[in-house]
Amino acid sequence: MTGAAASAGLVVASIRSHQADHVLTSGAGPVRLTWTLRSTDRPAAPQLAYEMEAVATDGSERRWTSGEVSGDAQVAVTAPDGPLDSREIRSYRVRVRSTAGWSGWSDTVRVEAGLLDAADWVGDAITLPADPGSTTPSPSPMLRQRFVVDRPVRRARLYVTSYGLHRITIDGSSVTGDLLGPGWTPYGKRILAETYDVTELLGVGEHVVGAVLGDGWYRGRLGWERETARSTYGTQLALLAQLELTHDDGTKSIVATDGSWRASTGAIRRADLYDGCDIDLRRAQADWDRPGFDPSTWRSVAVVPLDTSLIEPRVAPPVRVIASLACMITPLAVGRGWRLDAGQNVTGWVRIRVRGSTDATVTVRHAEVLEPDGSLHTRSLRSAKATDTYVLAGSDPVVLEPSFTFHGFRYAVIRGDIELLDVSVVAISSVDEPRSRFACSDPMLERLHENVVWSLRDNFVSVPSDCPQRDERLGWTGDAQAFAATASLLVDSQAFWSSWLRDLELEQDPVLGVSTVVPDVVVSGEPRYGRAGWSDAATIVPAAVYEAYGDPEILRAQLPSMRAHVDSLDARRGSDGLLPEAFQFGDWLDPDAPSDRPWLAKADGRYIANAFLVHSARLTGTAARVLGRPDVAEPYEHLATEVAAATWTTWAEHAVTNQTGCAVALELGIAPDAERPRVGEALAALVREADGRVATGFLGTPLVLPALSAAGRFDAAYLMLLRRQVPSWLYQVAAGATTVWERWDAIRPDGSIHDGRMRPFPDDAEDADGNMLSFNHYAYGAVVDWIYRHVAGIAPASPGYRSIKIAPRPVEGLDRAEASVVTPYGQAGISWAVGSDGLRIELVVPVGTSAVLDLPVSPDSVVTLDGDPLAGTVIDAGRHDLLVTNPRIVPHREAAAPSADTAQPANAGARGAIEAW
Ligand code: BGC
C-alpha cells in the first residue's frame, strides 16, 4: 500500500469535494470526494481499489487514511476523517490501484468549514435606528466600523449574514462579486451565512468595514397578491458580520457587528426586487466606507434580535454576474430617450455611462418584448415597476447601475436630459459554467437549446423561480419538478437543488404536505398544499439530481421529506383507494384549456393526481432501496402498485383520449405492461392526427416525447419536436424567442401579444382578475433532456453516468448532431453524422464508465467499432469510432402549415454580441 510510484495504468486526473464552485466554506457533515481518472493503457484498466487521505492544516499533524478500500467507487466517496469543526481547513488526496499497481497521489483539494455553531457568532445583528423602511420603502441603511490592524495578518475571514440583502466593502473595496446575499430562504427557519477570504485587504493599519442593506426578499415586495404589502419575513433589516483575523504570531482578533457601529443612509433611496432602484447621487456620502471619513453625523446603530441557531453556511452557489451583453441602441423621438435591445432576454440590469448636470433625472424601464408599435410591452410585468431611477450630482461622466434589484428583460427605454456615453446589459444568475453542450445541423433546434439554457440562467436566481420579470418570481414547485432533470443536465446544479430542497422540507406541513411555492410565501388564494405535480417536487427533484450526479447524499437528506410527502397524500385517499376530487393545477396551460382558466386541461385532474401519487411512492421506494432500506421501500412500492391499479381501472379509457393522459400512463407507470403498446399507439395516433401539434401543459409536456420514444414512435416524436407552427417549441424560436415562453402562443402568428387574462381560480367568476404572461418560464424547456437522450443520443443509463446510454435516432433532414456532458467521471461525448457510407459516430467514454449501445440499425446494417465488427452492446472507456451502414433513419415530413400559423419574427430584433459567457 505504501511506496506508491506513478506507474503505467491509471492516473488521478482531478479531484474535487462536494462543494459548489464559488463557495468558500462547507456546511456540517462529512466531506465527499469525487475523482476522475486517466489511463495510459487502452482499454483502461479498471480501478480495483483506492486510498483517501485527509490532513489537518492546523499544524497538529493529524492525518486520516481510509486504508486500501477495494472497489471502483470514485464519486461522492465519504472521506475518512469525519466532519470538520467550525473554521477548520483540511486537505484531501486520493490514489488508486489497478492491475498495473498504484497510481501516484492526486493533487490535493482543500475544504474549509464555515461557522457551524450558534455560539461561533459573537456579535449582535445591527441596523439603522428608527429605520423608516420598517413601514415604507426607504433609503438603504449604511453601516460602518473603523478598526486598526496592529500586527500582520496571516488569514482573514469575513463571516456574514443578514435580514435582507447585503453588500460589504473593506476600505471601499468590495469583498466579493457575489450578489443578493445571503439569498432567499424561509428566514424564520433557516438563514444562510457566507464566508469571504479578505486576507489581501487587511494590511497593518487603519481600516473601515462598510455594509449597505437592501429589502430583498426579506422585507421587499413578494407575491402578486401584495401590491403594496411588504415585510413578509420581518420589518427590520439587520447585518450580522464577523471579521476574524489570524495574525502571523498565531494570535487572533475579531471585529464583529455590535452597538458601537455607526449608521446612516446615502444615495440608494429605495430598492425593491420588483420595482427597481432609486439612486440619488446628490445624497451620496463620498468615501464613507474608507478610513479618513468623518462619521460624526452618523448615528449609533440599533441592535436587532437574530436567532443564530438558525444560521448555517450557504452551500449553494451565489448569484453572480455571468455575462455582459453589448446592446443595440435606437434613439427615439426627440425627448423620448433611447430604446435598448440586448438581443437576449436576461435577468439583470442595464449599466449606463452618462454625462448630464446636477439634478438631471435618468430612468431605465425594462420589458421582455415590444408591442407591435415598438413600445415596451409592460402589461406582463403586472404591478412590478421594473424601473431604475437616477438623479445626477454633477457634470462629470458617471456609471449608473442599480443595487438590490433585478429585472427580466431584453428591451429597455432610457430617458433623461443626458448624453448617453455607454450602455451594456449585465446578466446575473446562480449558475455559471454549462455542464453540457449540444449542436446539430438544424439551427432552430440549436436556438431552442440556447433559449432553454437562458431560461435556466435567468430563473436560477437564489431559488428556482417561475419567471424573472413580473410581481411573482417564486419557487414554484411544479415548474421545478418539470425542469429538474434538464437543469441538472445543463449546469452543475447539485448544490443549488440540495439547498432548495432543504427549504422545501422546512416548509413542508406534516399533515397538509408540500406547498406549491418554496419558500412558501403565498398566504392566501388557491389551495396550495399537496397539489399534484407541484408538491411532487419533493420526490421528483431528488431523484433527478441523483440520476444526474450519482451522489446518494441527496436521497439520504431528502428521504424523510419524500416519505412525509407521500404519507400526507396517502392519508387523503378515500374508501376507493384513490385521492378524492380536489382543485388541481393539473396539466396547467394545456393549449386547449380556456386561456383564462389554464387549470381546465383535457387530462382529468383527479387522474393526474393519482398518477403522480403512484410516481412519488415509487420514487420514494427506489430512494429507500438505494440507501439500503428495503424495509422502508416496501410499503411505498406496495402503495404505488395498489394506486396504479385503481387509477388504471378508473381512467384507462379517459387516458387514451389525450396526449397527457397517455404520456402519464406510460411514463408514470400507470398502464399495466400488457397495455403499454396500445397506449403508445394511441398517443402516436393522437400526435399524428394533430400534425405534431403540442397539446400538453406543464405536466404532460416533459413526458410526451419520452412516452413516444419509449413506445418506439420516434416518427411522432420528431413530428412534434420539429413542428414550426403554433403551438410548438420551434414556433417560439421562429417568432424570435430568446427564452422559453410561459404560454405556447404568448406572441400570436400575427405578431399580437396574448392578453394573459386570468379568471380568479378555482371558481368560475366571469371577470378576469389578472394577467399571466411571461416570456421566460422554463417548464416547457424540459424537452432538452429528450434532445440529449435521443437526438444527440447520450444519457445516463445508471446514476451519475457510470453507465452511459448511447442511442441516437437520426431523422430525415437532420444529418449531424453532437453533445457532451461533464459527468462526475469526466467529459463524455457523442458526435454523429449521416453520410453516404452510413452513420458515423464518434464517442468519448470517460475512464470509470462504460457505454451501452442502442444503435439505429436496420436489418441490413453492419456495425463496426474502431474498424472491427462490433461484438456485444457494451463498450469500454476511451475514444471510439462507430460506423453503422444502412442505418435506420426516422422518417419525417414537415407538418402542413396553414400560413396563419407561421410565426412572424415580431420580436426578433438584432441579436447583440455576447461579450462574455
Ligand atoms: C406561475 C407558474 C405556476 C403556476 C401555478 C403561475 O403564476 O408562473 O409557473 O406553476 O402559476 O399556478
Side-chain angles (χ1 to χ4, degrees):
M1 249 176 58
T2 50
S7 58
L10 296 177
V11 173
V12 182
S14 69
I15 179 168
R16 52 182 292 241
S17 76
H18 61 278
Q19 267 184 260
D21 289 345
H22 310 300
V23 177
L24 182 63
T25 51
S26 70
V31 168
R32 304 189 304 289
L33 300 173
T34 295
W35 55 92
T36 63
L37 300 172
R38 230 182 16 240
S39 171
T40 50
D41 300 328
R42 222 185 133 167
Q47 172 189 304
L48 300 175
Y50 62 84
E51 180 183 4
M52 286 184 291
E53 187 186 73
V55 180
T57 62
D58 57 2
S60 68
E61 312 271 312
R62 280 178 307 157
R63 188 175 286 271
W64 299 260
T65 171
S66 63
E68 177 175 352
V69 182
S70 299
D72 58 5
Q74 61 180 103
V75 172
V77 186
T78 302
D81 51 338
L84 282 69
D85 293 329
S86 291
R87 309 176 181 84
E88 208 184 335
I89 303 174
R90 294 182 196 162
S91 73
Y92 299 82
R93 59 182 189 164
V94 65
R95 61 182 190 152
V96 301
R97 186 168 64 73
S98 68
T99 45
W102 283 98
S103 70
W105 285 102
S106 68
D107 290 343
T108 57
V109 60
R110 181 185 164 289
V111 176
E112 174 174 346
L115 298 187
L116 303 173
D117 296 320
D120 289 327
W121 294 91
V122 299
D124 292 319
I126 56 168
T127 196
L128 182 73
D131 176 10
S134 58
T135 52
T136 184
S138 297
S140 280
M142 286 162 32
L143 308 165
R144 87 187 287 279
Q145 178 67 302
R146 176 189 167 276
F147 62 99
V148 174
V149 174
D150 59 5
R151 49 207 195 282
V153 171
R154 185 167 75 207
R155 183 168 87 121
R157 294 289 182 266
L158 176 71
Y159 302 100
V160 58
T161 188
S162 54
Y163 283 160
L165 309 175
H166 61 253
R167 251 181 31 203
I168 308 236
T169 54
I170 291 182
D171 304 335
S173 301
S174 181
V175 300
T176 166
D178 296 358
L179 302 162
L180 307 176
W184 185 10
T185 53
Y187 301 98
K189 298 170 180 162
R190 186 167 88 109
I191 311 168
L192 302 181
E194 296 160 331
T195 310
Y196 297 111
D197 181 353
V198 292
T199 315
E200 295 296 307
L201 298 173
L202 291 171
V204 170
E206 184 186 348
H207 297 281
V208 168
V209 53
V212 189
L213 302 180
D215 289 346
W217 298 282
Y218 187 84
R219 193 174 73 171
R221 293 181 51 199
L222 265 189
W224 65 90
E225 290 178 324
R226 315 168 140 226
E227 279 201 19
T228 49
R230 309 165 64 242
S231 307
T232 302
Y233 294 98
T235 55
Q236 296 265 69
L237 301 183
L239 176 79
L240 181 64
Q242 192 157 309
L243 187 56
E244 298 195 1
L245 313 181
T246 308
H247 298 277
D248 283 1
D249 60 8
T251 57
K252 301 199 171 177
S253 50
I254 293 185
V255 178
T257 42
D258 62 20
S260 69
W261 287 49
R262 312 286 288 172
S264 185
T265 58
I268 303 176
R269 305 315 292 167
R270 47 183 277 166
D272 183 88
L273 295 176
Y274 295 169
D275 291 336
C277 178
D278 293 353
I279 292 182
D280 184 345
L281 293 175
R282 298 168 307 183
R283 311 293 287 267
Q285 303 199 41
D287 296 331
W288 68 274
D289 52 359
R290 293 173 196 272
F293 176 83
D294 172 15
S296 52
T297 60
W298 287 43
R299 288 180 285 159
S300 295
V301 293
V303 168
V304 179
L306 187 152
D307 181 354
T308 54
S309 71
L310 300 178
I311 304 178
E312 55 186 69
R314 174 171 55 63
V315 297
V319 180
R320 292 157 50 93
V321 171
I322 59 155
S324 168
L325 281 66
C327 344
M328 197 171 81
I329 300 294
T330 311
L332 301 172
V334 179
R336 303 203 62 86
W338 300 262
R339 190 180 63 219
L340 159 169
D341 177 3
Q344 173 62 52
N345 203 12
V346 300
T347 293
W349 55 79
V350 178
R351 178 191 286 146
I352 49 180
R353 201 161 69 89
V354 306
R355 189 170 18 226
S357 53
T358 304
D359 300 340
T361 299
V362 185
T363 59
V364 185
R365 176 115 218 239
H366 307 76
E368 296 188 281
V369 296
L370 299 179
E371 295 288 352
D373 68 0
S375 61
L376 296 181
H377 165 83
T378 54
R379 191 162 21 94
S380 63
L381 302 175
R382 294 200 301 232
S383 72
K385 295 192 182 67
T387 304
D388 298 324
T389 306
Y390 308 92
V391 182
L392 305 190
S395 54
D396 289 341
V398 57
V399 174
L400 304 174
E401 62 183 321
S403 277
F404 306 129
T405 191
F406 60 85
H407 312 291
F409 71 105
R410 168 176 167 171
Y411 301 94
V413 167
I414 304 164
R415 288 210 173 120
D417 189 11
I418 44 144
E419 208 184 323
L420 191 58
L421 303 173
D422 197 16
V423 185
S424 62
V425 163
V426 175
I428 65 166
S429 179
S430 290
V431 291
D432 200 345
E433 287 301 313
R435 181 189 188 212
S436 59
R437 300 203 178 267
F438 169 78
C440 71
S441 57
D442 182 344
M444 301 263 294
L445 268 190
E446 288 187 335
R447 183 66 225 191
L448 171 65
H449 176 268
E450 199 180 340
N451 290 359
V452 175
V453 172
W454 272 108
S455 275
L456 161 62
R457 293 168 181 148
D458 295 344
N459 279 300
F460 274 34
V461 177
S462 189
V463 303
S465 69
D466 56 337
C467 57
Q469 95 292 0
R470 66 183 178 220
D471 52 3
E472 193 156 357
R473 313 183 197 185
L474 305 178
W476 281 96
T477 46
D479 310 38
Q481 70 77 15
F483 194 60
T486 302
S488 302
L489 163 65
L490 292 176
V491 293
D492 181 354
S493 46
Q494 188 177 356
F496 179 87
W497 286 122
S498 61
S499 178
W500 183 71
L501 286 168
R502 281 264 297 130
D503 293 336
L504 180 144
E505 181 173 12
L506 288 170
E507 300 280 48
Q508 194 168 351
D509 183 278
V511 177
L512 300 172
V514 175
S515 169
T516 48
V517 294
V518 171
D520 185 10
V521 295
V522 182
V523 291
S524 64
E526 73 276 0
R528 71 185 201 284
Y529 287 103
R531 298 301 116 185
W534 266 251
S535 50
D536 299 289
T539 55
I540 294 171
V541 177
V545 173
Y546 175 57
E547 181 180 49
Y549 306 108
D551 182 350
E553 173 60 21
I554 193 89
L555 302 180
R556 194 200 57 71
Q558 295 308 126
L559 188 62
S561 157
M562 297 170 89
R563 295 178 65 180
H565 163 60
V566 177
D567 293 349
S568 94
L569 292 180
D570 187 17
R572 295 184 189 197
R573 288 197 297 149
S575 53
D576 57 356
L578 290 167
L579 290 170
E581 191 67 49
F583 170 77
Q584 300 291 352
F585 299 106
D587 195 22
W588 182 255
L589 283 169
D590 170 342
D592 297 317
S595 85
D596 57 354
R597 281 169 294 170
W599 60 96
L600 293 183
K602 298 183 293 293
D604 184 287
R606 195 167 163 231
Y607 162 58
I608 299 266
N610 281 284
F612 272 87
L613 167 56
V614 171
H615 189 46
S616 274
R618 244 185 228 131
L619 293 175
T620 304
T622 306
R625 286 200 184 268
V626 170
L627 298 169
R629 294 292 308 274
D631 55 316
V632 172
E634 261 163 39
Y636 292 100
E637 291 162 349
H638 178 76
L639 175 68
T641 307
E642 185 186 313
V643 179
T647 303
W648 190 246
T649 305
T650 313
W651 286 285
E653 289 322 306
H654 166 74
V656 293
T657 62
N658 61 88
Q659 292 184 12
T660 294
C662 297
V664 161
L666 292 172
E667 287 302 291
L668 305 191
I670 307 304
D673 286 351
E675 299 270 23
R676 290 179 63 86
R678 182 174 74 85
V679 180
E681 286 310 305
L683 175 57
L686 285 169
V687 171
R688 293 214 70 100
E689 275 158 26
D691 234 351
R693 181 180 177 277
V694 173
T696 50
F698 272 32
L699 298 186
T701 300
L703 305 177
V704 67
L705 295 190
L708 286 168
S709 46
R713 292 303 303 266
F714 284 90
D715 59 326
Y718 274 116
L719 186 64
M720 185 177 270
L721 176 69
L722 299 176
R723 181 184 159 96
R724 294 175 185 213
Q725 294 78 39
V726 68
S728 71
W729 289 279
L730 297 187
Y731 166 78
Q732 299 187 4
V733 175
T738 60
T739 41
V740 182
W741 299 344
E742 178 176 28
R743 293 179 184 264
W744 290 109
D745 57 348
I747 297 177
R748 307 277 185 28
D750 64 3
S752 63
I753 298 175
H754 195 290
D755 65 14
R757 280 162 66 96
M758 287 281 286
R759 294 196 204 193
F761 66 119
D763 64 330
D764 247 2
E766 276 305 311
D767 291 337
D769 81 328
N771 167 287
M772 198 187 74
L773 183 66
S774 141
F775 297 85
N776 210 348
H777 256 63
Y778 50 52
Y780 296 141
V783 69
V784 158
D785 186 61
W786 192 90
I787 291 175
Y788 276 79
R789 283 171 193 263
H790 300 291
V791 179
I794 187 166
S798 64
Y801 294 79
R802 166 132 245 162
S803 167
I804 303 171
K805 182 155 184 194
I806 298 297
R809 289 295 178 266
V811 60
E812 280 171 4
L814 192 77
D815 50 27
R816 150 182 86 68
E818 61 185 77
S820 63
V821 183
V822 180
T823 77
Y825 301 88
Q827 182 154 343
I830 180 170
S831 169
W832 62 255
V834 178
S836 52
D837 51 350
L839 171 66
R840 285 198 173 275
I841 305 174
E842 289 171 21
L843 289 183
V844 177
V845 183
V847 176
T849 71
S850 57
V852 188
L853 303 179
D854 173 7
L855 299 173
V857 289
S858 69
D860 304 327
S861 293
V862 173
V863 184
T864 51
L865 170 67
D866 301 324
D868 296 324
L870 174 70
T873 53
V874 179
I875 59 174
D876 292 332
R879 288 179 175 272
H880 299 286
D881 291 319
L882 285 152
L883 175 64
V884 182
T885 65
N886 298 306
R888 188 160 35 90
I889 307 289
V890 178
H892 177 64
R893 58 158 180 84
E894 292 257 326
S899 56
D901 264 7
T902 310
Q904 310 282 320
N907 278 275
R911 287 184 44 70
I914 296 175
E915 285 177 341
W917 158 250

